[in-house]
Amino acid sequence: MFDRIGDFIAYDVLDLSGRFGEAVQFFVMDVVKITVLMSIMIFVIGYIRSYFPVEKVRDYLSGKRKIGGYIGAAGLGVLSPYCSCSTIPFFIGFVEAGIPLGMTFTFLITSPIVNEISIVLLISMFGWKIAFLYVFAGVMVALFAGLLIEKLHLEKYVQDYVYQIKSQQVAVTVELSQADRLVTALNGVYETVKKVGPYLLIGIAIAAGFHGFIPAEFIMRVAGGDNWYGPIVGTLIGVPLYSNAIGTLPVIEVLVGKGMAIGTALAFMMSTVALSVPEGLLLSRVLKKELVIIFFVIVTLGITIIGYLFNFIL
């Protein structure tokens, strides 16, 4: 259905042809497809999330044992569609509430890498198998990094003032009516689409340009499945960039379609959404430089390993 809409606009309405026509067709098709799928998923998850306020879950995590706490932190990250920089206020709140540092980092990593929007888009682009493996890999990276940070006892590298601010907030549960929950879910769709819209359009525009003008031979030569260094390059290129899953996925779809190894492509995506220069600068306000560096190194290594595993498995 979505490809027919792209065909109609590009070839019938605009009467385009050649590579430029292919690029416009892809742009229209992906904008419509991703917007529709994203809106439906945000509404459904927003309605479900209205039963689980973040503050209530935070207080719940603060009293959990290790295993349950880490799984809960990862689960909360999956249900929180935030970019890496947007998770910093939650990170501070978690530390202030006394949640262990490792659990807090698990949430910080999981939230941008794995969320309901990226899941539904991955399914639509690559199928259930790759979507499931991506979610599993993202959660494993977050759990591994969180547990390792806990084992290293790095609390001393958190800025002193963060521990001096003791959060006295208590989660207040307000019982919402069904109408309120529906309105909340609709508002979530509007706010999310408004917030990520520019990233979406830029990402799809870049992907459309790749689709129409970059030869598949070039992608295969630089980042094809036979290149042993592909996941390393993909991860390191993604680290200094700053985007979210919605803006990155259309680009990944085209790169994979032109021959980039799936592990390399997903390693690039993970590093782009989980690590960034703005995030590092914000983290330096609450963490000492030693812990910021350790965090980036651990996550970068984890993502690189995942890239190799994906290339080997798939």
Side-chain angles (χ1 to χ4, degrees):
M1 178 181 71
F2 300 114
D3 57 340
R4 288 199 292 270
I5 295 174
D7 290 342
F8 175 73
I9 297 297
Y11 304 131
D12 296 337
V13 175
L14 299 178
D15 194 26
L16 301 174
S17 60
R19 291 185 175 181
F20 186 69
E22 292 179 12
V24 172
Q25 189 273 346
F26 179 90
F27 179 82
V28 173
M29 176 188 68
D30 253 30
V31 167
V32 175
K33 176 178 69 175
I34 293 176
T35 301
V36 170
L37 294 175
M38 180 176 66
S39 299
I40 294 172
M41 198 64 182
I42 292 171
F43 177 82
V44 172
I45 297 298
Y47 178 82
I48 296 172
R49 192 184 290 125
S50 68
Y51 289 92
F52 304 98
V54 172
E55 294 80 5
K56 184 176 181 181
V57 177
R58 183 194 65 185
D59 291 345
Y60 169 78
L61 287 179
S62 64
K64 294 300 290 181
R65 295 178 181 274
K66 179 184 293 188
I67 299 301
Y70 274 94
I71 294 175
L76 178 59
V78 171
L79 294 175
S80 303
Y82 305 109
C83 65
S84 57
C85 290
S86 300
T87 58
I88 303 301
F90 289 94
F91 178 90
I92 296 173
F94 283 15
V95 173
E96 291 173 359
I99 295 175
L101 190 62
M103 291 183 192
T104 304
F105 271 107
T106 294
F107 168 81
L108 180 71
I109 298 167
T110 307
S111 183
I113 291 181
V114 184
N115 57 64
E116 68 272 14
I117 303 172
S118 63
I119 293 172
V120 71
L121 295 184
L122 279 167
I123 293 172
S124 69
M125 294 175 180
F126 302 114
W128 284 95
K129 180 181 178 180
I130 290 179
F132 172 79
L133 289 174
Y134 176 84
V135 172
F136 179 78
V139 171
M140 288 299 102
V141 168
L143 290 174
F144 169 78
L147 288 167
L148 182 57
I149 287 172
E150 178 186 324
K151 290 293 184 183
L152 293 175
H153 300 292
L154 301 175
E155 288 78 7
K156 62 182 179 181
Y157 294 118
V158 176
Q159 297 287 1
D160 295 336
Y161 79 88
V162 176
Y163 285 121
Q164 292 169 1
I165 303 173
K166 299 300 182 182
S167 176
Q168 301 297 327
Q169 296 179 345
V170 178
V172 178
T173 303
V174 178
E175 189 62 35
L176 301 176
S177 66
Q178 290 301 315
D180 290 334
R181 298 187 191 281
L182 292 174
V183 170
T184 300
L186 287 172
N187 286 337
V189 174
Y190 172 75
E191 292 297 330
T192 303
V193 172
K194 182 176 70 172
K195 181 178 179 180
V196 306
Y199 289 102
L200 177 64
L201 294 176
I202 292 171
I204 295 177
I206 294 172
F210 285 176
H211 177 78
F213 297 100
I214 293 186
E217 296 78 12
F218 174 77
I219 300 296
M220 284 294 294
R221 185 170 64 252
V222 173
D226 294 334
N227 291 338
W228 65 268
Y229 52 81
I232 297 175
V233 174
T235 302
L236 294 180
I237 290 176
V239 170
L241 302 179
Y242 176 52
S243 184
N244 53 32
I246 298 169
T248 308
L249 267 170
V251 178
I252 297 302
E253 179 184 23
V254 171
L255 293 177
V256 172
K258 285 185 173 290
M260 178 178 281
I262 187 68
T264 300
L266 293 181
F268 168 74
M269 175 179 165
M270 280 187 175
S271 62
T272 301
V273 302
L275 302 169
S276 68
V277 172
E279 180 190 23
L281 294 174
L282 286 173
L283 279 175
S284 67
R285 304 296 296 175
V286 295
L287 305 176
K288 297 177 183 178
K289 63 180 180 180
E290 293 88 349
L291 184 49
V292 175
I293 294 172
I294 291 171
F295 168 69
F296 269 69
V297 169
I298 291 175
V299 178
T300 299
L301 289 175
I303 291 173
T304 304
I305 293 170
I306 291 297
Y308 278 107
L309 288 176
F310 266 76
N311 282 348
F312 177 75
I313 295 172
L314 302 173

